[in-house]
């Protein structure tokens, strides 16, 4: 529908549009005061003022105004578009700079001092001071340690920093909950003393307004409280947050907020509260993304809470999408599993197979870190170790001293079967070690020798360096637990040199003074195991409890039977023992925990493998018995299982007799 306007109405509309399109600073004062009133009271006042501001349009492009009579009509929207094109005021750069929002200027700051300089040019509001602190913290996180040290010193010396903190104390009561939480987090992360007035003010205000905090604000506040030491205000706020979270737990919808609260509030929380957090997390597992699953595993490790159902869900998701997880996060997940004493064969196998299939994209350092954490977990990733072994043998010189020590420890502790590569591997590692001998510490040298001895290799040059008086003196004078560990490791070296018939000069022996007077450990023998063994042995043999061999190896039970009693028994091949008890068969029953075996297998780990090897050399027939298996069986079944393990040939004969 067309709109017909009189000439006066058209002129009034044109003048209104012209004035409104001018910046406020270019409008005449009289128009600014009476713009709307004058337009509506008639044409005469507007016309008078219209000529008076022509001089103020210097530098502005103003076209001739068109007048429309009553007989010639146009659509109102078309007229507005035409007038918009006819009047285009050109703003100067100064005016444009003044109109840039504060948030955009803040994003352009590249250092904390830039932020402080900027905030001094604007009116300090609660939002601005909070955003400035957060921006300073974000800038600081991206810097190197040296840059952080310099920039933080300049920030603390800047006059605007103290003014900013004073403004925060004044505006704290008017801040939004989220701004309050972010301000506290940024101040704490920037290194402001927790006992300072500004931090204590934020803590008290947070206590007063805790009921107003939503789940995001609570999670940010929890992050800020996490690094703070115990104090009355901190403890009171933490307790209040725990009560708030416990009451609002059913209504939390954000997985990330829940994980943050679990991470920072669940560490010192009582077990019932941890279980409530666990149940809430389990109810939200359907919302877990891949990053959520990774972060949940590390969160549980931070809490020190091993929730097997939650870990199973997260690890299964990670194993199914292992190709989409970067190296650092994979390593963090494995280390968290180690800290929680949690084992997951599906996850470990998926990661090891993924690394093997993409071995070319991993550096030696990355593969060694994987192998090291697998060794801590007791998981023997045989395909990965074989693939890495081939790479190392091609160019062993690229390994650093730390790399060599980790590789030797991993392969010896996991008792990995090197097969035909054994001799070449130990010789290559020995050659690399010899190049580092001049700069090796005594403790590193001892660690390397222990690993080589466990692998059955005894390089004379390295042993000679270890057994020098100066090196042994350094080990002896080590204080605290280091001295005890060194003595224990020297005992292992001494045992291997004496029992493994190493082809080294006789003068290369560990002096008794270096071994010290370490008291051997003698753990308590399982009474259920002894009772079951007595029923198995009966009157045909002698049963001894808690036997210590070579002042080092503990045998839970030693069974001495006449040779004819064990004739036909399947025992490991060994040389005929030259001992006074050679007329009797000596069966060493060793109660073995799961930690002594490679996870998911019956393969003994390094120390147990060395113990079994040495007991065979000493003329014993070692038999390992699993602790957890015996503990779960009734007494009658326990005796039957032990009889099968200790006298397998007798058990076979009984079966054959029953069959006949």
């Amino acid at each position: 529908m067309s709109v017909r306007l009189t000439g006066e109405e058209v002129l009034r509309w044109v003048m209104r549009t012209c004035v409104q399109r001018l910046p406020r600073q270019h409008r005449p004062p009289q128009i600014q005061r009476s713009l709307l009133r004058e337009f509506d009271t008639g044409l005469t006042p507007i016309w008078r003022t219209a000529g008076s501001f022509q001089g103020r349009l210097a530098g502005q492009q103003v076209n001739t105004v068109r007048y429309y009579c009553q007989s010639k009509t146009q659509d109102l929207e078309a007229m507005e578009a035409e007038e918009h094109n006819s009047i285009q005021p050109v703003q100067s750069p100064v005016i444009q700079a003044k109109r840039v929002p504060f948030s955009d200027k803040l994003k352009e700051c590249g250092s904390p001092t830039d932020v402080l300089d900027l905030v001094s040019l604007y009116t300090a509001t609660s939002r601005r001071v909070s955003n400035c602190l957060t921006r300073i913290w974000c800038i600081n996180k991206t810097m190197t340690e040296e840059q952080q040290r310099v920039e933080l010193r300049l920030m603390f010396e800047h006059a605007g920093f103290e003014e900013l903190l004073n403004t925060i104390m004044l505006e704290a009561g008017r801040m939004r909950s989220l701004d309050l939480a972010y301000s506290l987090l940024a101040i704490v992360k920037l290194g402001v003393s927790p006992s300072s007035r500004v931090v204590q003010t934020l803590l008290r205000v947070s206590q007063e307004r805790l009921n107003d905090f939503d789940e995001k604000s609570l999670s940010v506040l929890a992050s800020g409280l996490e690094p703070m030491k115990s104090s009355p205000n901190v403890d009171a706020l933490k307790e209040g947050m725990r009560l708030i979270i416990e009451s609002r737990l059913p209504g939390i919808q954000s997985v990330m907020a829940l994980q943050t609260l679990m991470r920072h509030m669940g560490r010192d929380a009582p077990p019932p509260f941890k279980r409530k957090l666990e149940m809430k997390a389990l109810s939200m597992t359907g919302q877990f993304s891949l990053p959520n699953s990774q972060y949940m595993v590390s969160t549980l490790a931070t809490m020190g809470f091993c929730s097997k159902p939650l870990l199973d869900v997260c690890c299964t998701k990670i194993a199914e999408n292992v190709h989409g997880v970067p190296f650092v996060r994979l390593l963090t997940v494995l280390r968290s599993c180690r800290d929680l004493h949690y084992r997951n064969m599906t996850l470990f196998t998926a990661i090891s197979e993924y690394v093997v299939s993409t071995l070319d994209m991993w550096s030696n350092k990355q593969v060694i870190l994987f192998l090291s954490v697998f060794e801590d977990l007791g998981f023997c990733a045989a395909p990965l170790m074989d693939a890495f072994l081939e790479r190392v043998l091609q160019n062993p010189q690229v390994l650093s001293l730390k790399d060599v020590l980790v590789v030797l420890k991993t392969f010896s502790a996991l008792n990995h079967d090197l097969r035909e590569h054994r001799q070449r591997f130990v010789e290559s590692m020995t050659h690399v070690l010899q190049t580092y001998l001049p700069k090796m510490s005594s403790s590193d040298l001892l660690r390397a020798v222990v690993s080589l001895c466990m692998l059955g290799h005894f390089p004379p040059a390295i042993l000679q360096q270890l057994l020098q008086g100066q090196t042994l003196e350094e080990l002896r004078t080590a204080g605290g637990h280091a001295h005890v560990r060194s003595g224990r490791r020297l005992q292992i070296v001494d045992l291997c040199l004496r029992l493994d018939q190493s082809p080294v000069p006789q003068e290369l022996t560990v002096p008794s003074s270096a071994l010290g007077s370490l008291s051997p450990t003698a753990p308590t023998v399982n009474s259920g195991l002894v009772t079951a063994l007595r029923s198995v042995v009966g009157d045909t043999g002698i049963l001894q409890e808690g036997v210590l061999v070579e002042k080092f190896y503990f045998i839970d039970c030693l069974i001495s039977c006449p040779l004819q009693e064990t004739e036909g028994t399947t025992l490991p091949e060994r040389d005929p023992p030259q001992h006074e008890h050679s007329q009797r068969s000596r069966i060493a029953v060793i109660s073995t925990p799961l930690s002594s075996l490679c996870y998911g297998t019956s393969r003994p780990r390094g120390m147990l493998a060395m113990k079994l090897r040495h007991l065979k050399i000493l003329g014993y027939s070692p038999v390992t018995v699993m602790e957890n298996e015996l503990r779960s069986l009734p007494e009658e079944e326990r005796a039957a299982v032990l009889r099968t393990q200790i006298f397998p040939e007798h058990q076979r004969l009984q079966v054959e007799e029953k069959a006949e």
Side-chain angles (χ1 to χ4, degrees):
M1 182 179 66
S2 61
V3 179
R4 296 181 179 274
L5 302 175
T6 65
E8 180 180 346
E9 290 172 340
V10 170
L11 182 59
R12 183 181 293 117
W13 179 86
V14 170
M15 295 305 300
R16 183 198 301 267
T17 304
C18 292
V19 175
Q20 287 180 338
R21 292 191 182 280
L22 286 174
R24 287 184 176 274
Q25 58 267 34
H26 289 276
R27 297 176 186 172
Q30 58 269 38
I31 291 184
Q32 293 188 33
R33 289 193 300 268
S34 60
L35 180 62
L36 296 178
R37 178 174 57 81
E38 295 285 358
F39 280 155
D40 292 334
T41 55
L43 181 62
T44 304
I46 297 297
W47 187 249
R48 289 174 182 172
T49 58
S52 66
F53 68 84
Q54 290 180 359
R56 293 198 175 236
L57 297 180
Q60 307 291 333
Q61 181 180 358
V62 181
N63 295 339
T64 305
V65 179
R66 295 186 179 182
Y67 297 91
Y68 298 90
C69 63
Q70 185 174 7
S71 61
K72 190 172 182 178
T73 61
Q74 275 190 344
D75 187 273
L76 187 60
E77 294 181 359
M79 290 192 298
E80 182 177 0
E82 184 175 353
E83 295 302 327
H84 175 71
N85 295 330
S86 64
I87 301 180
Q88 291 292 338
V90 180
Q91 296 181 356
S92 65
V94 177
I95 298 174
Q96 292 178 1
K98 289 183 179 179
R99 300 188 68 180
V100 174
F102 176 80
S103 58
D104 294 342
K105 282 287 187 181
L106 189 61
K107 293 177 182 178
E108 297 175 0
C109 296
S111 68
T113 52
D114 291 344
V115 177
L116 296 176
D117 292 337
L118 176 66
V119 74
S120 63
L121 302 177
Y122 289 82
T123 303
T125 63
S126 59
R127 286 297 303 275
R128 285 177 178 172
V129 295
S130 176
N131 292 341
C132 287
L133 276 175
T134 305
R135 178 60 182 167
I136 292 175
W137 174 45
C138 292
I139 294 173
N140 187 67
K141 289 193 297 183
T142 62
M143 295 180 176
T144 62
E145 292 184 3
E146 181 63 21
Q147 289 176 328
Q148 288 179 359
R149 185 182 64 82
V150 174
E151 290 294 339
L152 288 179
R153 179 176 60 82
L154 294 175
M155 182 191 71
F156 284 117
E157 294 175 356
H158 197 287
F161 186 65
E162 184 176 356
E163 183 179 351
L164 181 65
L165 296 185
N166 288 330
T167 305
I168 289 173
M169 288 190 292
L170 294 175
E171 297 290 336
R174 292 185 289 272
M175 282 186 177
R176 298 186 311 159
S177 301
L178 190 59
D179 292 335
L180 190 63
Y182 271 120
S183 298
L184 178 62
L185 174 62
I187 287 177
V188 171
K189 293 294 185 180
L190 289 172
V192 178
S193 174
S195 60
S196 61
R197 183 180 175 187
V198 61
V199 174
Q200 295 300 316
T201 299
L202 293 177
L203 289 174
R204 289 194 296 270
V205 173
S206 299
Q207 292 178 33
E208 295 171 0
R209 298 174 51 190
L210 193 57
N211 288 325
D212 300 333
F213 280 56
D214 57 10
E215 60 186 50
K216 183 177 180 180
S217 302
L218 287 173
S219 65
V220 176
L221 183 60
S223 301
L225 293 177
E226 191 268 337
M228 298 181 68
K229 295 182 179 179
S230 177
S231 69
N233 279 330
V234 172
D235 294 342
L237 188 54
K238 283 185 176 181
E239 181 61 22
M241 286 185 64
R242 188 185 66 79
L243 295 174
I244 291 289
I245 294 169
E246 192 170 1
S247 62
R248 297 184 185 176
L249 200 57
I252 293 180
Q253 301 296 326
S254 171
V255 175
M256 198 64 195
L258 175 64
Q259 290 177 331
T260 304
L261 294 173
M262 292 175 66
R263 193 179 191 89
H264 301 306
M265 298 301 298
R267 177 181 298 177
D268 302 321
F273 182 57
K274 289 184 178 181
R275 285 192 288 271
K276 289 182 179 179
L277 291 173
E278 175 193 17
M279 296 307 297
K280 177 61 179 179
L282 285 172
S283 68
M284 301 176 70
T285 52
Q287 305 176 33
F288 281 12
S289 63
L290 182 58
N292 290 151
S293 300
Q294 302 159 25
Y295 193 66
M296 181 58 75
V297 176
S298 59
T299 296
L300 291 172
T302 303
M303 291 176 60
F305 183 66
C306 184
S307 169
K308 194 174 184 305
L310 201 53
L311 287 170
D312 287 343
V313 172
C314 295
C315 290
T316 301
K317 194 174 190 67
I318 296 171
E320 293 173 351
N321 303 275
V322 67
H323 291 77
V325 185
F327 163 74
V328 175
R329 293 184 180 177
L330 281 178
L331 197 63
T332 301
V333 167
L334 290 175
R335 287 174 174 170
S336 300
C337 292
R338 175 198 62 192
D339 297 340
L340 292 169
H341 304 287
Y342 170 78
R343 307 290 185 270
N344 188 300
M345 179 62 74
T346 303
L347 175 67
F348 298 166
T349 304
I351 293 177
S352 62
E353 290 178 352
Y354 167 56
V355 177
V356 171
S357 63
T358 57
L359 190 63
D360 293 338
M361 63 179 278
W362 306 99
S363 65
N364 285 336
K365 295 285 186 184
Q366 291 174 321
V367 178
I368 289 173
L369 285 172
F370 276 126
L371 292 177
S372 178
V373 72
F374 278 141
E375 187 270 322
D376 292 337
L377 290 164
F379 175 70
C380 183
L384 177 59
M385 298 176 76
D386 289 336
F388 183 67
L389 177 63
E390 294 180 4
R391 176 194 282 189
V392 168
L393 292 179
Q394 291 175 1
N395 189 11
Q397 301 298 331
V398 299
L399 298 179
S400 64
L401 174 59
K402 186 176 180 180
D403 294 340
V404 175
L405 293 175
V406 174
V407 169
L408 284 174
K409 179 178 182 292
T410 301
F411 278 78
S412 61
L414 292 175
N415 189 27
H416 181 59
D417 186 8
L418 296 167
R419 298 187 295 276
E420 68 275 7
H421 301 296
R422 172 177 292 277
Q423 192 61 29
R424 187 183 171 194
F425 171 74
V426 294
E427 289 179 355
S428 299
M429 294 297 102
T430 301
H431 179 70
V432 177
L433 279 175
Q434 288 176 346
T435 62
Y436 290 112
L437 274 181
K439 57 181 180 182
M440 285 180 68
S441 65
S442 56
S443 58
D444 287 343
L445 181 59
L446 180 56
R447 288 168 55 197
V449 171
V450 169
S451 298
L452 289 171
C453 289
M454 292 175 66
L455 289 170
H457 186 63
F458 307 93
I462 297 180
L463 284 169
Q464 186 176 6
Q465 179 78 11
L466 173 66
L467 299 177
Q468 286 181 354
Q470 181 181 358
T471 306
L472 294 176
E473 181 64 19
E474 291 177 0
L475 294 171
R476 188 184 66 82
T477 56
H481 296 290
H483 172 68
V484 178
R485 286 196 301 267
S486 298
R488 190 76 173 172
R489 288 169 178 168
L490 284 172
Q491 280 188 318
I492 294 174
V493 175
D494 177 61
L495 279 171
C496 292
L497 290 176
R498 289 190 294 106
L499 299 179
D500 284 319
Q501 300 177 356
S502 56
V504 296
Q506 293 185 355
E507 61 269 16
L508 292 180
T509 57
V510 182
S512 57
S513 58
L515 297 175
S517 57
L518 296 174
S519 56
T521 57
T524 306
V525 182
N526 188 346
S527 59
L529 174 63
V530 175
T531 303
L533 285 176
R534 290 192 184 282
S535 63
V536 171
V537 175
D539 299 331
T540 60
I542 302 172
L543 180 66
Q544 296 176 268
E545 304 176 25
V547 178
L548 195 64
V549 179
E550 296 289 335
K551 297 182 180 180
F552 191 83
Y553 294 126
F554 181 78
I555 300 175
D556 294 86
C557 294
L558 179 62
I559 303 174
S560 299
C561 298
L563 287 178
Q564 60 269 18
E565 291 294 330
T566 59
E567 184 178 351
T569 301
T570 304
L571 296 176
E573 294 183 2
R574 66 175 188 273
D575 297 333
Q578 302 298 325
H579 298 278
E580 57 181 354
H581 300 291
S582 58
Q583 293 83 6
R584 303 178 67 86
S585 172
R586 296 184 298 169
I587 303 174
V589 181
I590 303 169
S591 181
T592 306
L594 283 176
S595 58
S596 296
L597 305 177
C598 293
Y599 174 64
T601 69
S602 58
R603 184 176 182 82
R605 296 182 66 184
M607 287 300 297
L608 178 59
M610 186 179 68
K611 178 179 181 178
L612 298 178
R613 184 178 79 217
H614 286 168
L615 288 178
K616 291 175 184 177
I617 293 173
L618 292 171
Y620 296 91
S621 300
V623 176
T624 57
V625 176
M626 302 306 300
E627 286 182 357
N628 61 323
E629 292 181 2
L630 289 181
R631 194 180 297 115
S632 60
L633 294 175
E635 187 173 349
E636 296 180 358
E637 294 184 17
R638 191 181 304 167
V641 170
L642 288 174
R643 186 176 293 107
T644 303
Q645 292 180 333
I646 298 173
F647 303 111
E649 186 64 23
H650 288 185
Q651 186 70 15
R652 185 181 63 82
L653 293 175
Q654 290 181 2
V655 172
E656 291 178 354
E657 290 176 359
K658 290 181 180 180
E660 293 177 356

